[in-house]
Amino acid sequence: MFRPYYPVLRLFQRVGLLFSFAVVYNTGWADISPQRSQELLKMVRHDCGSCHGYTLKGGLGPPLLPADLAGKDPEFLEATIAHGRSPQAMPPWLGLLTQEEIRWLVQRLIRGEVP
Ligand code: HEC
């Protein structure tokens, strides 16, 4: 009785699967181990925090809290972290961090998920 609907159901299943892959890929969370994510979050407090403030409320560098980053293009923020902003004090991090780790960090900052 339900047979005619099977292809439709299968299509939904596939779209769902593709959607999950897209989410994982776009947030760049696929390859970051729990241990590495702890290291990265610690680094944000200590290394980035030395300029942006330990609580990210700003210092030598501007604040990096969600309200401050709202409306800014994530790719622009990623490029800032990757390549720095010479001649401003913001140093480049690509090399110490991978592009994927930078994308992950930007998502965490935007969402305020830096414990
Ligand atoms: C030596 C000081 C210093 C360190 C360390 C530093 N920053 Fe910065 N950062 C700055 C300054 C200064 C600016 C503003 C540059 C400008 O005037 O455009 C900035 C800008 C930024 C911006 C752009 C903000 C915006 O609103 O456009 C982001 C994002 C950022 N930093 C993230 C980081 C992250 C993540 C780290 C650690 C991996 C880090 N910074 C480490 C000094 C620093």
Side-chain angles (χ1 to χ4, degrees), residues 40 43-52 56 59-64 68-70 72-74 76-82 84-93 96-97 102 105-106 109:
L40 292 174
M43 180 186 156
V44 171
R45 289 277 176 222
H46 292 272
D47 297 80
C48 315
S50 64
C51 286
H52 292 276
L56 304 179
L60 172 65
L64 298 177
D68 306 296
L69 301 180
K72 292 187 179 165
D73 182 356
F76 169 71
L77 298 173
E78 285 168 27
T80 297
I81 298 171
R85 272 204 201 149
S86 169
Q88 314 299 334
M90 175 65 185
W93 295 88
L96 290 168
L97 300 173
I102 292 172
L105 269 184
V106 166
L109 288 170

